[in-house]
Amino acid sequence: MEMYHAVPLPTPEEMTAWDQATIEDFGLRQEVLMENAGLGAHGVLEDSVGSVEGLSILVIAGSGNNGGDAFCVARHLANSGAQVLVLHTGKKKDYRGAAAANMRLAQKMGIQLGHLAKGRSLLEFVHDFGEPDVIVDGLLGTGFKGELREETQEWIEDINIFKSSAFILSLDIPSGLSGLTGEPAPVAVMADTTVTFEAAKIGLAMPSSAEFTGDIHVCGIGIPEFIKHSTPATCSMLTDGVLDLLPAPHPEMHKGDAGHVLILGGSIGLTGAPHLAALGAIRSGAGLVTIGCPAGLAQEVKGGNPDIMTLPLGKGTYWNEGMAQDLIPHLSRFSAILLGPGMGRDERTLGFLRALAELDLPKLVVDADALYWIAQAPELLEHLSTPMVLTPHPGEAARILGISAEDVQADRLHAAQDFAAQTGAVSILKGAGTIIALPDGRAYVSPFAISNLAVAGSGDVLGGLSTSLLARDMELEDAACLAVYWHGLAGGQLSEDFPVRGNTASDIANALPKALKETVDA
Ligand SMILES: NC(=O)C1=CN([C@@H]2O[C@H](COP(=O)(O)OP(=O)(O)OC[C@H]3O[C@@H](n4cnc5c(N)ncnc54)[C@H](OP(=O)(O)O)[C@@H]3O)[C@@H](O)[C@H]2O)[C@@H](O)CC1
Ligand SMILES: Nc1ncnc2c1ncn2[C@@H]1O[C@H](COP(=O)(O)OP(=O)(O)O)[C@@H](O)[C@H]1O
Ligand SMILES: [K+]
């Protein structure tokens, strides 16, 4: 996929590589990058609180380059007429490079400095300085390692005491938050606004970080585009640009041009899942949609909807090995298959899947109970040799990875990357901030965290939607990204119509066309 469909989300390590290439290979001095960061942060603060003239601003400067940014911002704030106190955690003589230069410039300007040494509390200084209107948090950026030292945790907790009385601006990332996972270590500053430099670090894109970051502003600091392109970030955030991937309808097209989706799913008590998947496929523009299911369930699965065709398999109400044979004469009609919604966990289903895996299949989306069976019989994956998109929720991913769902959630990015590497398939790790991971390690993060999508059957709609895009000949990676983004847009639309939830999964499917239209028109 072209990068313009997504914005880069570098890991802290990748960001450092961009900084170093800019400084060492390109020759732009670190002082210049830091100056751009400081000026940018000053601008973001004035955009947020208005003029800083006359405001009391407490600037916290840690001992690394994030502290250097803080000294630089302090200088610009003082120039704008703010009353500034910089509390620095490093000894003056220990600052290095651009941070030392900015510390000296702040000192030369006569800005008030105080040494927040180990054992001292931030509150002692506030006692003399007075209650701040604004706190600028430059304690730690992306460079800290492991769990925070005790004194650092205390300073962070002290900053958070002012959460309701002062405006808190974090530089690059709220101090204490991991730039990689978005988790606190174990505490982090709770900012009103975070100004992050050059690109949001991947941790900032994780929904868990939202309670710490407040609004996020990205501020360019002058890293040349060619450096970012020559060593691209492994992860990126999907944007509206991904919608350009949707094949445009043609006035003279016939239904076959928009693909024929086959959904294999349904079992006793779970007949709604394939039906909802069919709605997802229809509403995203599939030409024809058929549900293949045990013959005894076909009527219930169809649910009286004339838009959905059925392919009754076998005789009874359970999946079995013979049904794969029944499918063979029909397979050539289908352009993509969704396997698994509501398929159930009766032992005989595994026989069906084993026989199916030996057939020559079109592109597949594998979801729900089919993922359950892959966890029970991992060799199924090797036999299913067609290109595939796997769409696990955290529980399904955990079962296949052999870890707990909590482990998956604690580091969703790595779990998604491990899942894609292990299965060799384009993988959609569902949930708030859905991640699309590719077997080569690259990953896309969805910007959507929307409770209207957290309803039973929502994943079935996504499955149908993803399959309908594959059926239109989209590449696996593109189809997965577009499906997740479009599903998110539908959720956004529903959050307006159903602000306290209450929408159904069918509503999600039905919202797809309008959600797309409104975004494209906007
Ligand atoms: N590179 C560039 O050109 C540019 C970089 N920029 C900026 O630099 C930031 C990254 O700077 P960085 O790499 O210096 O790291 P940073 O986040 O300040 O933290 C390092 C300090 O953490 C400390 N520390 C470590 N572990 C700890 C622990 N467990 N618990 C407690 N403390 C711990 C350790 O302190 P020490 O142990 O040495 O006392 C060390 O000094 C980046 O986020 C961006 O803001 C911009 O100016 C643009 C140009
Ligand atoms: N808070 C949320 N924000 C964004 N998307 C969500 C959220 N909660 C759930 N979703 C999405 O809703 C769908 C739920 O799928 P899944 O867990 O398989 O449920 P089901 O099996 O009931 O359909 C997934 O696409 C998931 O990414
Ligand atoms: K910070």
Side-chain angles (χ1 to χ4, degrees):
M1 189 193 294
E2 294 288 336
M3 285 307 286
Y4 55 80
H5 298 308
V7 291
L9 296 171
T11 61
E13 214 175 305
E14 288 169 338
M15 184 68 218
T16 302
W18 285 354
D19 284 340
Q20 277 175 0
T22 304
I23 296 164
E24 286 159 26
D25 307 338
F26 183 60
L28 193 63
R29 288 171 39 237
Q30 194 186 13
E31 280 81 354
V32 176
L33 296 179
M34 203 172 269
E35 190 66 24
N36 290 342
L39 257 179
H42 172 267
V44 168
L45 183 61
E46 288 213 318
D47 287 345
S48 307
V49 302
S51 165
V52 295
E53 190 174 356
L55 295 186
S56 294
I57 302 187
L58 190 59
V59 176
I60 316 295
S63 51
N65 284 324
N66 197 241
D69 296 339
F71 281 115
C72 179
V73 182
R75 176 157 45 82
H76 293 293
L77 294 173
N79 273 337
S80 299
Q83 205 196 331
V84 179
L85 168 64
V86 182
L87 297 182
H88 52 94
T89 65
K91 291 184 185 141
K92 286 184 192 162
K93 68 175 178 50
D94 290 341
Y95 281 96
R96 294 281 168 268
N102 275 291
M103 187 271 294
R104 283 193 297 270
L105 291 175
Q107 213 173 3
K108 262 194 196 170
M109 275 183 62
I111 293 173
Q112 203 185 336
L113 305 185
H115 185 196
L116 184 59
K118 187 176 174 183
R120 295 199 71 178
S121 159
L122 201 130
L123 303 178
E124 295 171 34
F125 291 92
V126 170
H127 185 263
D128 298 335
F129 180 68
E131 286 266 328
D133 300 306
V134 173
I135 297 180
V136 175
D137 156 36
L139 183 58
L140 293 170
T142 53
F144 74 88
K145 300 277 176 297
E147 183 161 308
L148 300 177
R149 290 194 294 266
E150 210 170 305
E151 73 269 16
T152 314
Q153 292 190 36
E154 282 167 15
W155 293 328
I156 288 173
E157 277 157 3
D158 286 348
I159 293 173
N160 286 340
I161 290 174
F162 297 94
K163 170 78 187 147
S164 54
S165 60
F167 184 91
I168 302 179
L169 176 74
S170 282
L171 302 180
D172 206 26
I173 189 165
S175 298
L177 203 66
S178 159
L180 194 57
T181 64
E183 296 289 332
V187 294
V189 167
M190 305 200 69
D192 292 293
T193 290
T194 296
V195 51
T196 191
F197 302 128
E198 197 61 39
K201 315 313 170 269
I202 177 72
L204 294 178
M206 298 295 143
S208 56
S209 70
E211 66 173 309
F212 300 98
T213 59
D215 299 334
I216 297 177
H217 293 257
V218 180
C219 163
I221 58 170
I223 310 281
E225 282 300 308
F226 80 86
I227 287 182
K228 293 192 271 183
H229 284 150
S230 61
T231 46
T234 320
C235 300
S236 32
M237 170 82 86
L238 296 175
T239 65
D240 283 351
V242 79
L243 301 177
D244 296 344
L245 295 168
L246 185 68
H250 189 275
E252 287 153 41
M253 69 190 289
H254 64 86
K255 63 191 175 197
D257 295 337
H260 190 166
V261 168
L262 174 65
I263 296 162
L264 294 173
S267 58
I268 295 173
L270 294 173
T271 48
H275 186 100
L276 290 167
L279 294 183
I282 291 167
R283 291 299 186 199
S284 52
L288 303 105
V289 179
T290 297
I291 300 177
C293 64
L297 297 172
Q299 217 175 342
E300 194 177 324
V301 159
K302 184 176 171 73
N305 187 332
D307 302 310
I308 301 172
M309 294 177 281
T310 55
L311 176 58
L313 299 169
K315 288 204 170 66
T317 49
Y318 289 95
W319 292 91
N320 61 47
E321 195 180 329
M323 291 175 181
Q325 296 303 311
D326 296 351
L327 257 184
I328 294 175
H330 302 279
L331 274 178
S332 63
R333 288 196 282 136
F334 302 110
S335 11
I337 298 179
L338 169 62
L339 185 61
M343 198 162 226
R345 299 188 182 176
D346 178 82
E347 288 293 331
R348 285 162 282 184
T349 310
L350 183 54
F352 168 74
L353 291 173
R354 286 207 162 110
L356 182 81
E358 301 307 323
L359 304 182
D360 192 10
L361 299 172
K363 289 188 266 187
L364 269 187
V365 175
V366 184
D367 190 26
D369 289 325
L371 294 171
Y372 167 83
W373 286 112
I374 284 174
Q376 306 305 308
E379 72 281 1
L380 273 176
L381 266 186
E382 286 153 40
H383 291 261
L384 286 165
S385 54
T386 183
M388 283 187 288
V389 177
L390 269 45
T391 61
H393 62 49
E396 289 158 349
R399 209 177 283 123
I400 288 177
L401 289 170
I403 57 178
S404 70
E406 289 71 32
D407 291 338
V408 170
Q409 290 299 76
D411 190 352
R412 283 173 54 81
L413 175 65
H414 285 109
Q417 288 171 320
D418 288 350
F419 188 93
Q422 186 173 317
T423 60
V426 171
S427 303
I428 297 179
L429 177 61
K430 295 187 287 193
T434 290
I435 296 168
I436 299 103
L438 311 181
D440 65 10
R442 285 177 301 130
Y444 297 93
V445 181
S446 157
F448 298 107
I450 300 175
S451 66
N452 299 74
L453 291 175
V455 296
S458 170
D460 302 318
V461 173
L462 178 75
L465 162 56
S466 312
T467 315
S468 99
L469 298 178
L470 283 189
R472 270 192 263 176
D473 251 1
M474 285 185 67
E475 298 294 326
L476 300 187
E477 173 182 343
D478 292 350
C481 289
L482 175 54
V484 166
Y485 197 84
W486 194 355
H487 189 248
L489 287 179
Q493 165 109 54
L494 291 171
S495 69
E496 287 171 24
D497 299 342
F498 297 85
V500 289
R501 295 176 24 101
N503 59 281
T504 62
S506 322
D507 292 330
I508 300 175
N510 291 334
L512 289 169
K514 194 165 163 221
L516 186 75
K517 179 183 179 310
E518 294 201 344
T519 310
V520 171
D521 288 350

